[in-house]
Amino acid sequence: MANVVIVGTQWGDEGKGKIVDLLTRHADYIVRFQGGNNAGHTLVVEGKQYIFHLIPSGILYEDKKCMIGNGVVLDPGVLLDEMQELQDNGLPVTPKRLMISENTHLIMPYHRMLDAGIEAAKKKGAKIGTTGRGIGPCYGDKVLRRGIKIGELLDEDLFRDKLKENIEEKNFLLTKQLNAEPASFDEIYGQYMQFAEKLSPFLGNVSVELDQARKAGQNILFEGAQGTQLDIDHGTYPFVTSSNTVSGNACIGSGFGPSHIDTVIGILKAYTTRVGEGPFPTELFDETGDTIQKKGAEFGATTGRKRRCGWLDAVVANEAVRLNGVNGLAITKLDVLSGHETLKIANSYTDGKKEYTAMPGNIRTVQRLKPVYEEIPGWQEEISHVRSIDDLPGAARDYVKRIEDITETPVFILSVGPDRKETLLLKNPFNP
């Protein structure tokens, strides 16, 4: 029995979905514990691509139980669309395969309207690069104690009262401050009552079921969204997401005791990418950056936006190891770096006056930082066919070893291509 948390170590898009898919075969339960449909997990199975935004990646295994925890903010329309797509592909999602915490907060249409309106009203340099999915406003309502939980849909009087109160407040903001159209109470009420009918069989107490699974000796895999540098407390604020993306939230966002976590796996892309606005010290603006972007097919799974690409940032990697208590790394997209004569790793930053080995808290200081690189020989060979670390080119093995030395963390998993079979499981956290 083991309980394992998967987290991203950079700004998201590290390839968590593929690693979750790999480890799911050893798990009994797969739990999504934070974020919303602003995250996208892309999997390639036997040449077919699947993109999930809400449903845990483990849903592709018919004998596993997937859970959406209370730390998630849920757009029921998006969830039902994902369920329908799986149904169309011969993978029906039933209450035996998916449970939603009754305490999960709902994204409402007015959250999306506010998200888009607030972002549009900001000046160019102040834009966050939000996906516009309503994530931030929904988490804001949760903290302000004005949110609506999915379990409250089953009490029509309670839902009606809370919706009326929210509509009155949100329409004032939409019409008076943002000069936007108001939200319709009747339209939202009718739509969400239909959602309630379809989703009510999936609601339950995730915390209780997970505790029962733990006591029964079953394996539990906790799946995070986004990356450590997008954490609302520990990331490059305010260019972050609206939830805690670090491993500690696996417990808070699912109702699972922290003393029961056995292993934390940090997903580390062999280089660094970022989508949207915000500082990115190792970003490349040259042909090398374009080459990595094209070869790595670096487009956001949720928005389709081109990802910004740069060399591996060891400052960011070490921050993630410390903040998450990472026990092992999963390095992804190592194959993308094939063909480069020289590779670079940033071990520190400088603003011309001071050297930094940790990310500063002042965002304007972060925006001024320049990376201090070490150079490492690259390799020319394509490596997607490799199935043993010993068969990697010597320079590729040296690069992996250098990452282990810098982070003081062993590599458990190594991905050399997008398909399931193009992944080397060096150490299984469920069978330590």
Side-chain angles (χ1 to χ4, degrees), residues 90-116:
L91 289 168
V93 181
T94 67
K96 288 185 177 180
R97 300 187 62 216
L98 176 68
M99 176 184 283
I100 306 167
S101 170
E102 57 197 0
N103 289 324
T104 300
H105 277 248
L106 289 168
I107 294 175
M108 308 298 290
Y110 49 74
H111 290 138
R112 294 192 297 271
M113 296 164 73
L114 286 168
D115 203 357

PDB file of all heavy atoms in Angstrom, residues 90-116:
ATOM      1  N   GLY A  90     -16.085   4.702 -26.300  1.00  0.00           N
ATOM      2  CA  GLY A  90     -16.264   3.384 -25.716  1.00  0.00           C
ATOM      3  C   GLY A  90     -15.826   3.266 -24.275  1.00  0.00           C
ATOM      4  O   GLY A  90     -15.588   2.157 -23.786  1.00  0.00           O
ATOM      5  N   LEU A  91     -15.712   4.412 -23.568  1.00  0.00           N
ATOM      6  CA  LEU A  91     -15.313   4.406 -22.161  1.00  0.00           C
ATOM      7  C   LEU A  91     -16.361   5.147 -21.328  1.00  0.00           C
ATOM      8  O   LEU A  91     -16.144   6.282 -20.900  1.00  0.00           O
ATOM      9  CB  LEU A  91     -13.942   5.073 -21.993  1.00  0.00           C
ATOM     10  CG  LEU A  91     -12.738   4.304 -22.522  1.00  0.00           C
ATOM     11  CD1 LEU A  91     -11.514   5.204 -22.552  1.00  0.00           C
ATOM     12  CD2 LEU A  91     -12.471   3.082 -21.646  1.00  0.00           C
ATOM     13  N   PRO A  92     -17.511   4.530 -21.091  1.00  0.00           N
ATOM     14  CA  PRO A  92     -18.547   5.209 -20.321  1.00  0.00           C
ATOM     15  C   PRO A  92     -18.098   5.507 -18.895  1.00  0.00           C
ATOM     16  O   PRO A  92     -17.442   4.679 -18.253  1.00  0.00           O
ATOM     17  CB  PRO A  92     -19.718   4.210 -20.332  1.00  0.00           C
ATOM     18  CG  PRO A  92     -19.090   2.882 -20.620  1.00  0.00           C
ATOM     19  CD  PRO A  92     -17.905   3.164 -21.486  1.00  0.00           C
ATOM     20  N   VAL A  93     -18.429   6.703 -18.419  1.00  0.00           N
ATOM     21  CA  VAL A  93     -18.074   7.124 -17.065  1.00  0.00           C
ATOM     22  C   VAL A  93     -19.298   6.927 -16.172  1.00  0.00           C
ATOM     23  O   VAL A  93     -20.315   7.600 -16.323  1.00  0.00           O
ATOM     24  CB  VAL A  93     -17.618   8.599 -17.036  1.00  0.00           C
ATOM     25  CG1 VAL A  93     -17.230   9.003 -15.624  1.00  0.00           C
ATOM     26  CG2 VAL A  93     -16.445   8.806 -17.994  1.00  0.00           C
ATOM     27  N   THR A  94     -19.182   5.998 -15.237  1.00  0.00           N
ATOM     28  CA  THR A  94     -20.280   5.680 -14.333  1.00  0.00           C
ATOM     29  C   THR A  94     -19.907   6.084 -12.908  1.00  0.00           C
ATOM     30  O   THR A  94     -18.730   6.320 -12.611  1.00  0.00           O
ATOM     31  CB  THR A  94     -20.575   4.174 -14.376  1.00  0.00           C
ATOM     32  OG1 THR A  94     -19.447   3.475 -13.816  1.00  0.00           O
ATOM     33  CG2 THR A  94     -20.814   3.686 -15.803  1.00  0.00           C
ATOM     34  N   PRO A  95     -20.899   6.131 -11.995  1.00  0.00           N
ATOM     35  CA  PRO A  95     -20.578   6.437 -10.594  1.00  0.00           C
ATOM     36  C   PRO A  95     -19.627   5.435  -9.954  1.00  0.00           C
ATOM     37  O   PRO A  95     -18.994   5.751  -8.947  1.00  0.00           O
ATOM     38  CB  PRO A  95     -21.961   6.415  -9.920  1.00  0.00           C
ATOM     39  CG  PRO A  95     -22.916   6.788 -11.008  1.00  0.00           C
ATOM     40  CD  PRO A  95     -22.357   6.135 -12.242  1.00  0.00           C
ATOM     41  N   LYS A  96     -19.503   4.253 -10.519  1.00  0.00           N
ATOM     42  CA  LYS A  96     -18.532   3.288  -9.994  1.00  0.00           C
ATOM     43  C   LYS A  96     -17.101   3.686 -10.358  1.00  0.00           C
ATOM     44  O   LYS A  96     -16.151   3.249  -9.705  1.00  0.00           O
ATOM     45  CB  LYS A  96     -18.824   1.888 -10.546  1.00  0.00           C
ATOM     46  CG  LYS A  96     -20.072   1.249  -9.953  1.00  0.00           C
ATOM     47  CD  LYS A  96     -20.234  -0.171 -10.452  1.00  0.00           C
ATOM     48  CE  LYS A  96     -21.434  -0.856  -9.813  1.00  0.00           C
ATOM     49  NZ  LYS A  96     -21.600  -2.248 -10.283  1.00  0.00           N
ATOM     50  N   ARG A  97     -16.960   4.518 -11.389  1.00  0.00           N
ATOM     51  CA  ARG A  97     -15.636   4.904 -11.883  1.00  0.00           C
ATOM     52  C   ARG A  97     -15.258   6.331 -11.516  1.00  0.00           C
ATOM     53  O   ARG A  97     -14.088   6.701 -11.629  1.00  0.00           O
ATOM     54  CB  ARG A  97     -15.581   4.741 -13.403  1.00  0.00           C
ATOM     55  CG  ARG A  97     -15.839   3.310 -13.867  1.00  0.00           C
ATOM     56  CD  ARG A  97     -15.604   3.193 -15.356  1.00  0.00           C
ATOM     57  NE  ARG A  97     -14.214   3.496 -15.666  1.00  0.00           N
ATOM     58  CZ  ARG A  97     -13.825   4.141 -16.765  1.00  0.00           C
ATOM     59  NH1 ARG A  97     -14.716   4.580 -17.625  1.00  0.00           N
ATOM     60  NH2 ARG A  97     -12.544   4.373 -16.974  1.00  0.00           N
ATOM     61  N   LEU A  98     -16.236   7.148 -11.112  1.00  0.00           N
ATOM     62  CA  LEU A  98     -15.949   8.550 -10.800  1.00  0.00           C
ATOM     63  C   LEU A  98     -16.815   9.021  -9.628  1.00  0.00           C
ATOM     64  O   LEU A  98     -18.025   8.816  -9.619  1.00  0.00           O
ATOM     65  CB  LEU A  98     -16.234   9.439 -12.013  1.00  0.00           C
ATOM     66  CG  LEU A  98     -16.065  10.952 -11.798  1.00  0.00           C
ATOM     67  CD1 LEU A  98     -14.596  11.313 -11.589  1.00  0.00           C
ATOM     68  CD2 LEU A  98     -16.638  11.741 -12.979  1.00  0.00           C
ATOM     69  N   MET A  99     -16.162   9.640  -8.638  1.00  0.00           N
ATOM     70  CA  MET A  99     -16.869  10.281  -7.542  1.00  0.00           C
ATOM     71  C   MET A  99     -16.441  11.742  -7.464  1.00  0.00           C
ATOM     72  O   MET A  99     -15.256  12.064  -7.621  1.00  0.00           O
ATOM     73  CB  MET A  99     -16.585   9.603  -6.192  1.00  0.00           C
ATOM     74  CG  MET A  99     -17.241  10.324  -5.001  1.00  0.00           C
ATOM     75  SD  MET A  99     -16.826   9.605  -3.388  1.00  0.00           S
ATOM     76  CE  MET A  99     -17.883   8.166  -3.409  1.00  0.00           C
ATOM     77  N   ILE A 100     -17.409  12.621  -7.232  1.00  0.00           N
ATOM     78  CA  ILE A 100     -17.160  14.056  -7.073  1.00  0.00           C
ATOM     79  C   ILE A 100     -17.470  14.434  -5.633  1.00  0.00           C
ATOM     80  O   ILE A 100     -18.556  14.119  -5.125  1.00  0.00           O
ATOM     81  CB  ILE A 100     -18.040  14.892  -8.024  1.00  0.00           C
ATOM     82  CG1 ILE A 100     -17.870  14.431  -9.473  1.00  0.00           C
ATOM     83  CG2 ILE A 100     -17.731  16.381  -7.887  1.00  0.00           C
ATOM     84  CD1 ILE A 100     -18.930  14.980 -10.408  1.00  0.00           C
ATOM     85  N   SER A 101     -16.541  15.096  -4.985  1.00  0.00           N
ATOM     86  CA  SER A 101     -16.803  15.547  -3.620  1.00  0.00           C
ATOM     87  C   SER A 101     -17.980  16.507  -3.600  1.00  0.00           C
ATOM     88  O   SER A 101     -18.049  17.447  -4.390  1.00  0.00           O
ATOM     89  CB  SER A 101     -15.565  16.250  -3.049  1.00  0.00           C
ATOM     90  OG  SER A 101     -15.888  16.889  -1.825  1.00  0.00           O
ATOM     91  N   GLU A 102     -18.891  16.268  -2.664  1.00  0.00           N
ATOM     92  CA  GLU A 102     -20.051  17.150  -2.533  1.00  0.00           C
ATOM     93  C   GLU A 102     -19.648  18.559  -2.107  1.00  0.00           C
ATOM     94  O   GLU A 102     -20.430  19.507  -2.227  1.00  0.00           O
ATOM     95  CB  GLU A 102     -21.034  16.559  -1.511  1.00  0.00           C
ATOM     96  CG  GLU A 102     -20.416  16.321  -0.141  1.00  0.00           C
ATOM     97  CD  GLU A 102     -21.244  15.380   0.728  1.00  0.00           C
ATOM     98  OE1 GLU A 102     -22.306  14.924   0.252  1.00  0.00           O
ATOM     99  OE2 GLU A 102     -20.815  15.111   1.852  1.00  0.00           O
ATOM    100  N   ASN A 103     -18.405  18.726  -1.657  1.00  0.00           N
ATOM    101  CA  ASN A 103     -17.905  20.042  -1.241  1.00  0.00           C
ATOM    102  C   ASN A 103     -17.154  20.781  -2.345  1.00  0.00           C
ATOM    103  O   ASN A 103     -16.609  21.862  -2.100  1.00  0.00           O
ATOM    104  CB  ASN A 103     -16.983  19.887  -0.028  1.00  0.00           C
ATOM    105  CG  ASN A 103     -17.743  19.509   1.230  1.00  0.00           C
ATOM    106  OD1 ASN A 103     -18.858  19.958   1.441  1.00  0.00           O
ATOM    107  ND2 ASN A 103     -17.147  18.665   2.051  1.00  0.00           N
ATOM    108  N   THR A 104     -17.117  20.211  -3.545  1.00  0.00           N
ATOM    109  CA  THR A 104     -16.458  20.875  -4.669  1.00  0.00           C
ATOM    110  C   THR A 104     -17.255  22.110  -5.079  1.00  0.00           C
ATOM    111  O   THR A 104     -18.469  22.040  -5.257  1.00  0.00           O
ATOM    112  CB  THR A 104     -16.349  19.910  -5.863  1.00  0.00           C
ATOM    113  OG1 THR A 104     -15.591  18.773  -5.468  1.00  0.00           O
ATOM    114  CG2 THR A 104     -15.691  20.573  -7.048  1.00  0.00           C
ATOM    115  N   HIS A 105     -16.574  23.238  -5.238  1.00  0.00           N
ATOM    116  CA  HIS A 105     -17.261  24.482  -5.603  1.00  0.00           C
ATOM    117  C   HIS A 105     -17.516  24.550  -7.106  1.00  0.00           C
ATOM    118  O   HIS A 105     -16.705  24.082  -7.915  1.00  0.00           O
ATOM    119  CB  HIS A 105     -16.438  25.688  -5.140  1.00  0.00           C
ATOM    120  CG  HIS A 105     -16.672  26.019  -3.701  1.00  0.00           C
ATOM    121  ND1 HIS A 105     -17.306  27.160  -3.275  1.00  0.00           N
ATOM    122  CD2 HIS A 105     -16.368  25.327  -2.579  1.00  0.00           C
ATOM    123  CE1 HIS A 105     -17.374  27.175  -1.951  1.00  0.00           C
ATOM    124  NE2 HIS A 105     -16.809  26.061  -1.503  1.00  0.00           N
ATOM    125  N   LEU A 106     -18.642  25.156  -7.451  1.00  0.00           N
ATOM    126  CA  LEU A 106     -19.083  25.243  -8.834  1.00  0.00           C
ATOM    127  C   LEU A 106     -18.630  26.534  -9.500  1.00  0.00           C
ATOM    128  O   LEU A 106     -18.750  27.628  -8.927  1.00  0.00           O
ATOM    129  CB  LEU A 106     -20.610  25.183  -8.910  1.00  0.00           C
ATOM    130  CG  LEU A 106     -21.269  23.830  -8.602  1.00  0.00           C
ATOM    131  CD1 LEU A 106     -22.766  24.010  -8.441  1.00  0.00           C
ATOM    132  CD2 LEU A 106     -20.958  22.828  -9.709  1.00  0.00           C
ATOM    133  N   ILE A 107     -18.113  26.397 -10.713  1.00  0.00           N
ATOM    134  CA  ILE A 107     -17.907  27.575 -11.566  1.00  0.00           C
ATOM    135  C   ILE A 107     -19.248  27.913 -12.205  1.00  0.00           C
ATOM    136  O   ILE A 107     -19.897  27.056 -12.812  1.00  0.00           O
ATOM    137  CB  ILE A 107     -16.849  27.290 -12.645  1.00  0.00           C
ATOM    138  CG1 ILE A 107     -15.481  27.063 -11.990  1.00  0.00           C
ATOM    139  CG2 ILE A 107     -16.785  28.432 -13.657  1.00  0.00           C
ATOM    140  CD1 ILE A 107     -14.400  26.659 -12.964  1.00  0.00           C
ATOM    141  N   MET A 108     -19.655  29.159 -12.049  1.00  0.00           N
ATOM    142  CA  MET A 108     -20.928  29.629 -12.586  1.00  0.00           C
ATOM    143  C   MET A 108     -20.676  30.505 -13.814  1.00  0.00           C
ATOM    144  O   MET A 108     -19.573  31.042 -13.990  1.00  0.00           O
ATOM    145  CB  MET A 108     -21.677  30.431 -11.524  1.00  0.00           C
ATOM    146  CG  MET A 108     -21.826  29.720 -10.181  1.00  0.00           C
ATOM    147  SD  MET A 108     -22.776  28.182 -10.283  1.00  0.00           S
ATOM    148  CE  MET A 108     -24.422  28.822 -10.594  1.00  0.00           C
ATOM    149  N   PRO A 109     -21.666  30.675 -14.673  1.00  0.00           N
ATOM    150  CA  PRO A 109     -21.483  31.539 -15.852  1.00  0.00           C
ATOM    151  C   PRO A 109     -20.995  32.938 -15.506  1.00  0.00           C
ATOM    152  O   PRO A 109     -20.187  33.523 -16.241  1.00  0.00           O
ATOM    153  CB  PRO A 109     -22.876  31.561 -16.481  1.00  0.00           C
ATOM    154  CG  PRO A 109     -23.482  30.253 -16.092  1.00  0.00           C
ATOM    155  CD  PRO A 109     -22.985  29.990 -14.702  1.00  0.00           C
ATOM    156  N   TYR A 110     -21.457  33.491 -14.375  1.00  0.00           N
ATOM    157  CA  TYR A 110     -21.005  34.839 -14.031  1.00  0.00           C
ATOM    158  C   TYR A 110     -19.530  34.863 -13.631  1.00  0.00           C
ATOM    159  O   TYR A 110     -18.886  35.898 -13.742  1.00  0.00           O
ATOM    160  CB  TYR A 110     -21.882  35.465 -12.940  1.00  0.00           C
ATOM    161  CG  TYR A 110     -22.144  34.626 -11.713  1.00  0.00           C
ATOM    162  CD1 TYR A 110     -21.170  34.412 -10.741  1.00  0.00           C
ATOM    163  CD2 TYR A 110     -23.400  34.054 -11.502  1.00  0.00           C
ATOM    164  CE1 TYR A 110     -21.413  33.658  -9.603  1.00  0.00           C
ATOM    165  CE2 TYR A 110     -23.657  33.293 -10.365  1.00  0.00           C
ATOM    166  CZ  TYR A 110     -22.670  33.098  -9.422  1.00  0.00           C
ATOM    167  OH  TYR A 110     -22.916  32.353  -8.291  1.00  0.00           O
ATOM    168  N   HIS A 111     -18.985  33.726 -13.204  1.00  0.00           N
ATOM    169  CA  HIS A 111     -17.547  33.670 -12.936  1.00  0.00           C
ATOM    170  C   HIS A 111     -16.752  33.837 -14.235  1.00  0.00           C
ATOM    171  O   HIS A 111     -15.747  34.565 -14.277  1.00  0.00           O
ATOM    172  CB  HIS A 111     -17.168  32.344 -12.269  1.00  0.00           C
ATOM    173  CG  HIS A 111     -17.649  32.215 -10.870  1.00  0.00           C
ATOM    174  ND1 HIS A 111     -18.203  31.048 -10.379  1.00  0.00           N
ATOM    175  CD2 HIS A 111     -17.676  33.105  -9.832  1.00  0.00           C
ATOM    176  CE1 HIS A 111     -18.535  31.225  -9.110  1.00  0.00           C
ATOM    177  NE2 HIS A 111     -18.224  32.457  -8.758  1.00  0.00           N
ATOM    178  N   ARG A 112     -17.205  33.178 -15.279  1.00  0.00           N
ATOM    179  CA  ARG A 112     -16.523  33.315 -16.571  1.00  0.00           C
ATOM    180  C   ARG A 112     -16.668  34.738 -17.110  1.00  0.00           C
ATOM    181  O   ARG A 112     -15.714  35.298 -17.673  1.00  0.00           O
ATOM    182  CB  ARG A 112     -17.087  32.306 -17.580  1.00  0.00           C
ATOM    183  CG  ARG A 112     -16.803  30.850 -17.204  1.00  0.00           C
ATOM    184  CD  ARG A 112     -17.124  29.924 -18.373  1.00  0.00           C
ATOM    185  NE  ARG A 112     -18.538  29.957 -18.725  1.00  0.00           N
ATOM    186  CZ  ARG A 112     -19.461  29.165 -18.175  1.00  0.00           C
ATOM    187  NH1 ARG A 112     -19.115  28.275 -17.247  1.00  0.00           N
ATOM    188  NH2 ARG A 112     -20.722  29.242 -18.564  1.00  0.00           N
ATOM    189  N   MET A 113     -17.839  35.313 -16.929  1.00  0.00           N
ATOM    190  CA  MET A 113     -18.080  36.682 -17.408  1.00  0.00           C
ATOM    191  C   MET A 113     -17.185  37.681 -16.674  1.00  0.00           C
ATOM    192  O   MET A 113     -16.596  38.584 -17.279  1.00  0.00           O
ATOM    193  CB  MET A 113     -19.567  37.037 -17.218  1.00  0.00           C
ATOM    194  CG  MET A 113     -20.503  36.169 -18.049  1.00  0.00           C
ATOM    195  SD  MET A 113     -22.229  36.241 -17.496  1.00  0.00           S
ATOM    196  CE  MET A 113     -22.701  37.878 -18.059  1.00  0.00           C
ATOM    197  N   LEU A 114     -17.059  37.509 -15.370  1.00  0.00           N
ATOM    198  CA  LEU A 114     -16.200  38.386 -14.588  1.00  0.00           C
ATOM    199  C   LEU A 114     -14.736  38.187 -14.959  1.00  0.00           C
ATOM    200  O   LEU A 114     -13.970  39.163 -15.063  1.00  0.00           O
ATOM    201  CB  LEU A 114     -16.402  38.121 -13.090  1.00  0.00           C
ATOM    202  CG  LEU A 114     -17.698  38.634 -12.471  1.00  0.00           C
ATOM    203  CD1 LEU A 114     -17.898  38.042 -11.083  1.00  0.00           C
ATOM    204  CD2 LEU A 114     -17.689  40.169 -12.388  1.00  0.00           C
ATOM    205  N   ASP A 115     -14.334  36.950 -15.144  1.00  0.00           N
ATOM    206  CA  ASP A 115     -12.951  36.640 -15.490  1.00  0.00           C
ATOM    207  C   ASP A 115     -12.548  37.371 -16.767  1.00  0.00           C
ATOM    208  O   ASP A 115     -11.503  38.044 -16.836  1.00  0.00           O
ATOM    209  CB  ASP A 115     -12.804  35.126 -15.672  1.00  0.00           C
ATOM    210  CG  ASP A 115     -11.375  34.637 -15.473  1.00  0.00           C
ATOM    211  OD1 ASP A 115     -10.481  35.471 -15.257  1.00  0.00           O
ATOM    212  OD2 ASP A 115     -11.164  33.418 -15.523  1.00  0.00           O
ATOM    213  N   ALA A 116     -13.385  37.252 -17.789  1.00  0.00           N
ATOM    214  CA  ALA A 116     -13.078  37.888 -19.069  1.00  0.00           C
ATOM    215  C   ALA A 116     -13.113  39.404 -18.959  1.00  0.00           C
ATOM    216  O   ALA A 116     -12.247  40.107 -19.495  1.00  0.00           O
ATOM    217  CB  ALA A 116     -14.078  37.411 -20.129  1.00  0.00           C
TER     218      ALA A 116
END
